[in-house]
Amino acid sequence: MTTKADAITALVTGASAGMGAEFSRQLAQDGHHLILVARDEGRLRAEAEVLERDYSITAEVLPADLTTDAGVAAVVARLQDASRPVEVLVNNAGIGLLEPFEKNDVEDEKRHLRLHVQTPLELCHAALQGMLERGSGRIINVASVAAFANRGSYSAAKAWQVSFSRWANLAYAGRGVKVTAVCPGFVHTEFHQRMSMDKRAIPGFLWLNAENVVREGLEDNTNGKGISVPSKRYKLLTAIMRFVPAKFTSGPARRRLE
C-alpha cells in the first residue's frame, strides 16, 4: 500500500464511468493521487469528491474531448508538467460503433480511430518523456480481446494498441517503465449501452466484472507483463483464436436496442 507521504499521481482517461472509474477507484485505494479525464465535467467532479472523501487522496479534474486536437493538447500539457509528475498513465477512453464499417459515417470512423490509436500514441509519447527521465513509470493501454479477432476497425485499432504496448514494454522496461495492453472481453459497463447494443445477444458466461478486470490488469502491469488478458475463460478463448480461421472470429451477431 502506498503511503500518503510517498503517494504518486495517476492520470486516467475515460474516468467518468465504467472501467475508467474502476481504475480510478482502485488506484485511489492504493494511495495514488489522481487526474481524472473525460468529457463530462459534472460527473468528473462528483467522482473526484467521492474519491477524495473515501481514500484521502487528491483528485484533479481535467475535462477534455480526446477526439479533438484541443482536448488532447490539454492532457499532453498536463503530462509534460515536470513540476507535477505523472507516474501512471491509463489510456482507457474508448467508443464503439455498432454498424458494419461500410454503414458507418466516415467522420465517426475517424473519431473512433483518433480515440483508440492517435490519442493513446500522443499521450504515451508525452508521458514517456518524464518517466524515462525519472527512470520509473507505468502505462496501461486498455485494449480488448477483439484485438485477436476480426471485428472491423475496432479490432484493427485494438490490435495496434496490443502491438504497440508489447513493443514499448520490451523497449522501455530496462529503463524503468512498464507498459501493458489490458485486453478484457465483454465487461459490465456503460460502453455497450452507449452504442445501443443489446447485451442479451452475448452469452452470460462471456461477461466480466469491471472490478476483477481492473485488479488483474493492474497486477499484470505491476509484474511487467506486456499483455494482460483478464480471466481464465478469455485466456483460453484468445489461445483458441490463434488457431481458428478468421471467418469464425468475427464476433457474435449484433442486435440494436429498439
Side-chain angles (χ1 to χ4, degrees), residues 24-39:
S24 300
R25 187 190 69 78
Q26 291 193 30
L27 287 164
Q29 188 176 42
D30 197 37
H32 291 68
H33 297 307
L34 294 168
I35 305 163
L36 307 176
V37 179
R39 291 179 300 175

Side-chain angles (χ1 to χ4, degrees), residues 229-248:
V229 180
S231 84
K232 291 180 180 178
R233 77 200 79 161
Y234 276 105
K235 283 182 174 66
L236 176 61
L237 285 171
T238 54
I240 292 171
M241 277 193 272
R242 297 167 198 251
F243 304 100
V244 173
K247 65 180 179 180
F248 296 118

